[in-house]
């Protein structure tokens, strides 16, 4: 039998001073933002073929970054407890930094832009605050929780915001008219990560008690609970490809990745497929946009590429560094990853029915 052609045959890479904590692509794929545990923030501008350092090493971690839906703003939050924002003017134009906004709530490690909008949700202690990019100020409405907010996620249509803390997930529709009280869904433990399916009414929560909660009606009613994971569930990723009844869901716990697919109606219709390769904790999961291709990144220094059936297609090595973060470019053809010693990689990823990307020159991959 012929050996399948490699999906990845070339790479672009660079270095930051400290461990990479997160990566984010602009919606048009023209920019890649990279943040570190030392507070560095670098912007790769592929249109201009240059690298812009927006923030140097401050010995103060950045833990969440992201572009607004229209790519007008880039945000960052972290250990310093303040919201950092840059306004982007397009490729080749230096981003303009806005004045930092302290929130007085200690370390900030969860923030998320509203899909299709300019509202940014920021977890600040036991509150979720909303910054409105249309008017460049904080909104007066806020969400209060009984414990420290651990994770945030917007529904795909941007109407509902989920926030987790010890014992509950709160479901809020801040733009509803008239505005209703948030729905409180009890969970029994702490939700460490939340993720809405890209279509349908599915909300997943990875729990500290080694379980996965899955609401079939976006937080309404009783969730399905799947237990038996080897450790806390710390990473979730939904595929954007239609399945038989629902898109596939990848879940990471310790060194294990489990691919869940719904074969039949109801809770028992969900079947798990363990994906065995990694030797140490899996730090990040990401499905390629528009493709049935899953990437998993581990502290063992490997990134694995899997197909929709859970078959390993190709492992990628980190040259002695463990991997911390992953992000697919919106075209689904380029994968970025960050290491625990500050190196970042960018791989063009070929696939069935797609022409392999041509090798690019000094500016990187177009």
């Amino acid at each position: 039998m012929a050996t399948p052609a490699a999906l990845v045959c070339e790479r672009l890479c660079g270095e930051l001073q400290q461990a990479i904590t997160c990566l984010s692509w602009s919606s048009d794929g023209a920019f890649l933002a990279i943040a570190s545990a030392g507070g560095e923030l670098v912007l790769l501008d592929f249109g201009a073929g240059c690298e812009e350092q927006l923030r140097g090493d401050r010995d103060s971690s950045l833990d969440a970054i992201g572009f607004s839906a229209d790519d007008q703003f880039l945000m960052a939050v972290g250990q310093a407890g303040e919201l950092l924002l840059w306004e982007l003017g397009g490729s080749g134009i230096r981003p303009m930094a806005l004045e930092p906004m302290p929130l007085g709530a200690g370390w900030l490690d969860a923030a998320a832009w509203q899909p299709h909008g300019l509202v940014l949700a920021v977890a600040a202690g036991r509150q979720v605050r909303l910054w409105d990019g249309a008017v460049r100020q904080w909104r007066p409405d806020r969400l209060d929780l009984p414990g420290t907010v651990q994770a945030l996620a917007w529904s795909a249509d941007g109407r509902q915001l989920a926030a987790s803390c010890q014992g509950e997930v709160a479901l809020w529709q801040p733009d509803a008219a008239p505005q209703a009280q948030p729905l409180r869904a009890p969970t029994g433990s702490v939700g460490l990560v939340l993720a809405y399916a890209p279509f349908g009414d599915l909300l997943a929560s990875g729990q500290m008690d080694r379980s996965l909660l899955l609401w079939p009606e976006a937080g309404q009613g009783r969730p399905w609970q799947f237990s038996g994971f080897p450790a806390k569930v710390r990473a979730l990723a939904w595929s954007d490809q239609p399945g038989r009844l629902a898109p596939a869901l990848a879940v990471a716990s310790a060194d294990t990745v489990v691919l869940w697919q719904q074969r039949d109606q109801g809770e028992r219709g969900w079947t798990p497929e363990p994906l065995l390769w990694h030797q140490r904790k899996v730090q990040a999961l990401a499905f390629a946009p528009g493709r049935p291709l899953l990437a998993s990144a581990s502290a063992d220094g490997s990134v694995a590429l899997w197909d929709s059936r859970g078959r390993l297609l190709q492992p990628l090595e980190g040259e002695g560094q463990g991997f911390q973060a992953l992000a697919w470019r919106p075209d689904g053809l380029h994968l970025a990853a960050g290491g625990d010693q500050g190196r970042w990689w960018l791989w063009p990823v070929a696939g069935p029915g797609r022409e392999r990307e041509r090798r690019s020159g000094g500016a990187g991959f177009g």
Side-chain angles (χ1 to χ4, degrees), residues 67-74 85 87 112-121 130-137 139 154 158 175:
F67 293 87
S68 59
D70 64 356
D71 297 332
Q72 182 180 351
F73 298 104
L74 170 64
L85 287 164
E87 186 170 8
W113 288 102
Q114 182 183 36
H116 321 299
L118 279 174
V119 175
L120 174 66
L130 300 176
W131 186 82
D132 191 339
V135 294
R136 301 176 183 238
Q137 63 185 25
R139 285 175 42 163
W154 288 95
D175 294 327

Side-chain angles (χ1 to χ4, degrees), residues 214-295:
L214 188 60
W215 285 269
E217 299 176 358
Q220 306 282 340
R222 184 185 68 84
W224 299 327
Q225 183 170 18
F226 305 100
S227 302
F229 291 93
K232 306 170 187 176
V233 176
R234 287 193 169 275
L236 302 171
W238 288 99
S239 171
D240 67 0
Q241 301 297 290
R244 181 177 176 183
L245 295 171
L249 173 65
V251 179
S253 172
D255 60 357
T256 303
V257 178
V258 182
L259 185 64
W260 291 82
Q261 300 193 64
Q262 190 176 19
R263 308 292 189 186
D264 206 346
Q265 296 286 350
E267 182 175 358
R268 294 186 179 182
W270 286 86
T271 60
E273 178 68 33
L275 310 185
L276 304 178
W277 170 259
H278 298 297
Q279 302 300 310
R280 295 180 61 191
K281 183 189 296 184
V282 176
Q283 305 278 33
L285 296 170
F287 276 99
R291 302 174 65 182
L293 183 62
L294 172 68

Side-chain angles (χ1 to χ4, degrees), residues 109-110 123 145 147-153 162-170 185-195 203-215 225 232-236:
D109 57 10
L145 279 85
T148 301
V149 182
Q150 299 292 324
L152 296 172
S164 64
C165 69
Q166 173 63 47
E168 78 171 43
V169 170
T187 61
S189 71
V190 179
L192 300 175
V193 59
L194 295 166
L203 170 63
S205 178
Q207 299 292 115
M208 183 176 284
D209 66 0
R210 304 185 179 189
S211 72
L212 168 70
L213 297 181
L214 188 60
W215 285 269
Q225 183 170 18
K232 306 170 187 176
V233 176
R234 287 193 169 275
L236 302 171

